[in-house]
Amino acid sequence: MASPESNSKGNLEREFYIPTYILAPDASQSEDLQLPDVPTCPVLVFINSKSGGQLGGDLLHTYRSLLNKYQVFDLGEETPDSVLRRLYLNLEKLKNNGDEFATKLEERLRIIVAGGDGTAGWLLGVVSDLKLSKPPPIATVPLGTGNNLPFAFGWGKKNPGTDQNSVISFLKQVMDAKEMKMDSWHILMRMRAPKEGSCDPIAPLELPHSLHAFHRVSSSDELNVEGCHTFRGGFWNYFSMGMDAQVSYAFHSERKMNPEKFKNQLVNQSTYARLGCTQGWFFASLFHPSSRNIAQLAKVKIMKRQGEWQDLHIPHSIRSIVCLNLPSFSGGLNPWGTPNSNKRRDRDLTPPFVDDGHLEVVGFRDAWHGMVLLAPNGHGTRLAQAHRIRFEFHKGTADHTFMRIDGEPWKQPLPVDDDTVVVEIAHLGQVKMLATHGCRSKSMHDLSSHDNHDGDDGDSGEEDSVVEEQRKFGAADTFKIPDEVDISHLS
């Protein structure tokens, strides 16, 4: 009689196993498992073994002990674009040779990515860029500090268990999960090239991995702007600017200098809170110069799905602005909240769906203002919902500000003469996500998301064509982690 352990292993193989000949056709297949039928939920697993201290490595070991070692990948050893290109080329060959198993497996394939939001964004970008005819939906395992993506889709925000029972439980959740689409966003940043030297003080590796310079286009191309540095990239969760990004920059700078001190999730979060105090975020009205408030730094314009550019009024007290795609920010907080029906009607607001082609734009005065998110019905200053948003920075009293994309911050120089720095965000497309039932992210195509329930009682404040530049947006170029970057620094 088979033992319970062997029965459990057999169930896992029937449900999640991918045969070696599909994953690595050149590998030895003498010990390859012969399955009687296509697995119910075949999974590719990508793990950032550097995330979560020792947890990433432990998780990698457990998955490889339970599944085919060839279907579990360490992102420190092989990039997701190389893995997926190899897999899908092999699937095409097999399907062309009449392999029905390969055809059905491709239809059922799901992806698991374990790491921080930066790791998840990297993989999402690669899947988006490959433009697969049947892109697999993706589940995210929280192994970072913020874990906004996993939390938004119901996978939690605490580091998972790495033992066999915990991994099997997660695999069962993946099999039972529902598919949801999530908007992706293109971001373009253009600035005048300095007359001498490179684009310093922005060293190329200071920019987020999702925002890299693209090659100079031909002089006849409308994208060519002579004498400018143009950067482009994308995001799924948020773009933020101001004091919150300043605190994040301080955290990442400290972690880069002392990585050995940042191997525990609770320690990381407490360090983040401490830096919020030392950077003056909690007492911004006393320590933060008003010249760095958003209204003094930039002119902001927005566009609805079918409309013209219009100026967005930013209250002079706002020191941080967040353009939010998911209902999860700073480790699970929801800055937009749920406006009641009167507010939605009077301000032409819609529920914050993750697949409606709109960003929610929220402002904060200081960290104390942000603390209202911890209270029931708490939210920031709702500024707008936008299909596109544009920041124009002109010469002013500040020589820099701070920005961040999906948790990755950088220090952005601002014009010192009559030049302009432009940051423009526009809707790009969508990716498939896996979500638990009852997760906080809502779809405009899910009738249960349209329940007419009122939210808070008050407010604290105040499809156009995609241009060629956006069509070029993708991941194999703009989201690829450079070879010289140690992914241990990736959130």
Side-chain angles (χ1 to χ4, degrees):
M1 180 179 292
S3 67
E5 289 80 6
S6 62
N7 284 336
S8 176
K9 181 76 172 178
N11 289 336
L12 286 177
E13 291 165 346
R14 286 192 295 273
E15 292 167 343
F16 305 106
Y17 190 91
I18 300 179
T20 302
Y21 84 96
I22 286 178
L23 297 155
D26 297 330
S28 172
Q29 299 172 28
S30 58
E31 299 180 5
D32 200 8
L33 184 67
Q34 299 299 313
L35 298 176
D37 199 1
V38 182
T40 309
C41 179
V43 292
L44 282 179
V45 184
F46 294 91
I47 298 173
N48 183 346
S49 60
K50 304 292 186 180
S51 285
Q54 182 62 35
L55 293 180
D58 292 344
L59 205 59
L60 185 74
H61 175 77
T62 302
Y63 269 101
R64 283 179 171 170
S65 71
L66 291 172
L67 303 173
N68 187 343
K69 65 179 181 180
Y70 290 107
Q71 73 187 95
V72 183
F73 302 92
D74 182 352
L75 289 171
E77 298 175 352
E78 192 167 13
T79 62
D81 47 324
S82 62
V83 170
L84 291 172
R85 287 180 191 278
R86 182 177 70 243
L87 170 65
Y88 277 87
L89 282 173
N90 193 43
L91 283 172
E92 283 303 310
K93 291 179 183 177
L94 293 170
K95 290 190 298 181
N96 290 337
N97 291 333
D99 190 323
E100 289 295 325
F101 189 100
T103 301
K104 291 180 181 179
L105 186 138
E106 182 183 17
E107 292 173 352
R108 300 178 185 181
L109 185 64
R110 296 186 164 194
I111 287 179
I112 295 172
V113 55
D117 285 333
T119 303
W122 180 20
L123 191 129
L124 287 170
V126 168
V127 172
S128 174
D129 188 67
L130 290 177
K131 296 178 174 57
L132 304 169
S133 59
K134 296 176 182 177
I138 300 163
T140 53
V141 181
L143 274 185
T145 302
N147 299 319
N148 290 295
L149 267 166
F151 187 64
F153 290 95
W155 303 108
K157 57 183 176 180
K158 294 182 179 180
N159 290 335
T162 60
D163 59 284
Q164 287 198 2
N165 288 336
S166 296
V167 169
I168 292 172
S169 176
F170 188 87
L171 285 168
K172 297 289 187 182
Q173 283 185 285
V174 169
M175 185 166 61
D176 295 336
K178 64 179 180 179
E179 288 189 24
M180 289 182 69
K181 288 188 177 181
M182 175 179 68
D183 291 325
S184 61
W185 295 87
H186 177 270
I187 181 168
L188 176 143
M189 182 169 67
R190 180 170 283 142
M191 68 194 75
R192 181 70 58 182
K195 295 179 180 178
E196 297 180 3
S198 64
C199 60
D200 290 340
I202 306 182
L205 296 185
E206 285 282 320
L207 287 170
H209 300 118
S210 59
L211 192 63
H212 291 291
F214 59 76
H215 297 295
R216 172 70 66 199
V217 295
S218 68
S219 57
S220 60
D221 195 310
E222 65 177 5
L223 301 182
N224 181 62
V225 177
E226 192 64 36
C228 284
H229 287 301
T230 303
F231 301 83
R232 67 182 181 91
F235 67 92
W236 284 267
N237 192 359
Y238 66 87
F239 166 84
S240 73
M241 182 182 70
M243 280 210 75
D244 78 290
Q246 178 178 329
V247 175
S248 179
Y249 183 80
F251 173 84
H252 279 254
S253 298
E254 193 166 315
R255 182 169 65 173
K256 193 170 185 179
M257 289 187 293
N258 303 287
E260 71 282 355
K261 297 180 180 179
F262 292 81
K263 294 186 176 181
N264 180 281
Q265 191 178 43
L266 289 177
V267 171
N268 290 356
Q269 292 168 344
S270 63
T271 302
Y272 205 101
R274 173 179 60 80
L275 289 170
C277 293
T278 59
Q279 294 291 314
W281 185 215
F282 279 92
F283 304 98
S285 59
L286 297 176
F287 300 109
H288 182 77
S290 60
S291 60
R292 291 190 186 175
N293 290 3
I294 303 302
Q296 281 75 19
L297 289 176
K299 290 183 179 179
V300 186
K301 298 177 182 292
I302 63 167
M303 182 187 293
K304 296 289 189 178
R305 185 180 291 273
Q306 299 289 349
E308 304 292 330
W309 286 108
Q310 53 187 281
D311 292 331
L312 178 63
H313 171 70
I314 307 292
H316 286 274
S317 60
I318 296 298
R319 298 179 177 88
S320 180
I321 192 169
V322 182
C323 302
L324 191 68
N325 186 42
L326 302 179
S328 182
F329 176 72
S330 290
L333 303 177
N334 183 5
W336 186 256
T338 308
N340 64 34
S341 56
N342 291 334
K343 293 294 181 183
R344 293 200 298 268
R345 181 189 65 243
D346 296 343
R347 299 187 57 191
D348 190 27
L349 301 177
T350 60
F353 299 124
V354 299
D355 55 358
D356 62 355
H358 282 100
L359 289 168
E360 280 67 49
V361 186
V362 187
F364 292 99
R365 296 185 298 273
D366 51 31
W368 294 114
H369 188 191
M371 294 290 278
V372 304
L373 302 181
L374 299 175
N377 298 328
H379 58 88
T381 299
R382 299 188 187 108
L383 299 172
Q385 288 175 304
H387 189 59
R388 298 178 74 166
I389 183 166
R390 179 183 176 96
F391 299 88
E392 297 177 356
F393 301 88
H394 302 276
K395 179 181 179 181
T397 54
D399 60 1
H400 68 273
T401 187
F402 295 87
M403 301 179 182
R404 65 173 170 162
I405 298 174
D406 286 356
E408 294 190 82
W410 76 98
K411 184 178 180 179
Q412 174 61 45
L414 297 179
V416 295
D417 46 33
D418 293 333
D419 290 331
T420 301
V421 172
V422 173
V423 174
E424 186 172 321
I425 298 167
H427 184 259
L428 174 73
Q430 294 181 326
V431 291
K432 287 183 183 178
M433 300 298 292
L434 287 170
T436 62
H437 298 272
C439 71
R440 63 162 52 190
S441 291
K442 303 300 179 185
S443 167
M444 62 185 299
H445 303 293
D446 182 356
L447 292 178
S448 64
S449 298
H450 294 256
D451 293 340
N452 187 26
H453 63 281
D454 273 1
D456 55 87
D457 294 326
D459 206 333
S460 60
E462 345 295 48
E463 181 89 341
D464 52 296
S465 62
V466 179
V467 297
E468 179 64 21
E469 193 155 30
Q470 291 162 269
R471 286 200 294 269
K472 291 181 180 179
F473 161 70
D477 295 322
T478 58
F479 279 72
K480 183 178 179 183
I481 307 300
D483 294 336
E484 58 268 45
V485 175
D486 183 349
I487 63 171
S488 63
H489 300 311
L490 193 61
S491 63

